[in-house]
Amino acid sequence: SQTYSHLYCNFRYTISLWYFFFFQAEDGIRDAQESRGLGDVYKRQALSDPYLAMSSAVNGLAGPLHGLANQEVLRFLLDAQDRVGEDATDQELKDFVLAHLKSGRVIPGYGHAVLRNTDPRFIHQKRFAQKYIKNDPLVNLVHKFEEIVPPILQELGKVKNPFPNVDAHSGVLLYHYGFLEFEYYTVIFAVSRALGCLSNLVWARALNLPLERPNSIDLNWVKKNLDNQQQAQQ
């Protein structure tokens, strides 16, 4: 019973980490924009339930570059483990990463739109795993890739930030504690993010912020911007 109690306490802390890491929802985040935008659009017309707006926002998470990112990382890790084994050498892991990149795919869990160093949330999860999770092959693989992947991405020069982000570690913690249904990870993500999204929506209504209206563009705008990008690359 003492062992199960210890596991339960650690799992509760893992979920707390998730809620703390993902509840932030500043304006630039996909689901924050959708929940606040939809809520604003309807507040003067139908006074739509904010939770309906949040339901729509959750759909914004259902993509491999956002809410499904940690699932993509897990699939990558499991594939690596299956192909090179649990006791793979550093060279075997490097060869696997290079082959993965050569096939035209990216390394999930690396890079960030804003950060240019290792994500602090990754570091915190790593410290948690080092303290409470011993001898888990998949967790150990995450830490090995942290050392192996960034130098490879830096040498290729295709990314501004070759370091691991929060998704590189978050999924493997849930997997360790028995959450084997990957699709459920987004549910936990959404529960956490709802705290931030709905807070933003409340403030938007309290401050009577104006409606957000997207810009309209035409093909001439698209062509001009593509030409500018090509000139900048030359």
Side-chain angles (χ1 to χ4, degrees):
S1 62
Q2 185 177 7
T3 300
Y4 283 116
S5 176
H6 179 68
L7 287 174
Y8 176 66
C9 289
N10 291 343
F11 174 68
R12 286 185 61 186
Y13 186 56
T14 299
I15 295 299
S16 297
L17 287 179
W18 266 67
Y19 287 167
F20 180 74
F21 289 154
F22 295 122
F23 85 88
Q24 93 284 2
E26 54 271 17
D27 290 347
I29 294 181
R30 174 70 273 150
D31 41 320
Q33 284 183 319
E34 292 193 8
S35 63
R36 201 186 77 177
L38 288 167
D40 269 354
V41 166
Y42 296 125
K43 74 177 180 181
R44 295 188 184 87
Q45 299 173 8
L47 292 177
S48 178
D49 188 324
Y51 292 97
L52 295 180
M54 186 63 208
S55 297
S56 176
V58 170
N59 288 314
L61 293 173
L65 299 183
H66 201 181
L68 303 187
N70 54 19
Q71 301 174 33
E72 295 297 312
V73 171
L74 264 176
R75 293 188 177 95
F76 170 77
L77 293 171
L78 291 169
D79 182 47
Q81 193 176 67
D82 182 61
R83 291 177 182 272
V84 300
E86 294 182 359
D87 300 319
T89 64
D90 287 356
Q91 187 58 51
E92 288 173 328
L93 292 175
K94 288 179 182 178
D95 292 340
F96 173 81
V97 170
L98 289 170
H100 188 87
L101 291 169
K102 189 175 181 180
S103 68
R105 294 173 289 178
V106 300
I107 307 299
Y110 284 79
H112 194 276
V114 178
L115 299 176
R116 292 297 175 264
N117 293 295
T118 300
D119 193 327
R121 297 169 296 178
F122 175 92
I123 296 173
H124 195 82
Q125 291 177 100
K126 180 181 178 180
R127 290 172 179 168
F128 169 83
Q130 290 172 331
K131 184 175 182 179
Y132 296 111
I133 301 176
K134 306 296 183 182
N135 302 320
D136 185 306
L138 217 55
V139 172
N140 293 339
L141 188 57
V142 170
H143 301 165
K144 285 186 178 180
F145 275 135
E146 181 197 4
E147 299 175 357
I148 290 171
V149 171
I152 294 176
L153 296 179
Q154 283 177 319
E155 185 176 350
L156 293 175
K158 293 185 177 181
V159 293
K160 294 180 179 179
N161 173 20
F163 303 105
N165 58 46
V166 64
D167 297 308
H169 213 309
S170 60
V172 77
L173 295 182
L174 293 182
Y175 193 84
H176 171 80
Y177 287 109
F179 274 69
L180 306 183
E181 297 294 333
F182 293 0
E183 290 77 9
Y184 192 73
Y185 294 6
T186 305
V187 176
I188 303 175
F189 190 178
V191 170
S192 171
R193 188 54 63 80
L195 299 173
C197 288
L198 295 176
S199 297
N200 266 350
L201 179 57
V202 169
W203 275 112
R205 294 187 177 187
L207 299 174
N208 198 30
L209 297 182
L211 298 178
E212 294 183 359
R213 300 182 183 278
N215 292 329
S216 297
I217 61 174
D218 56 22
L219 292 178
N220 290 328
W221 183 93
V222 174
K223 183 179 183 302
K224 179 180 178 180
N225 278 269
L226 289 175
D227 290 340
N228 291 338
Q229 290 181 16
Q230 291 177 349
Q231 292 175 6
Q233 293 173 357
Q234 292 176 353

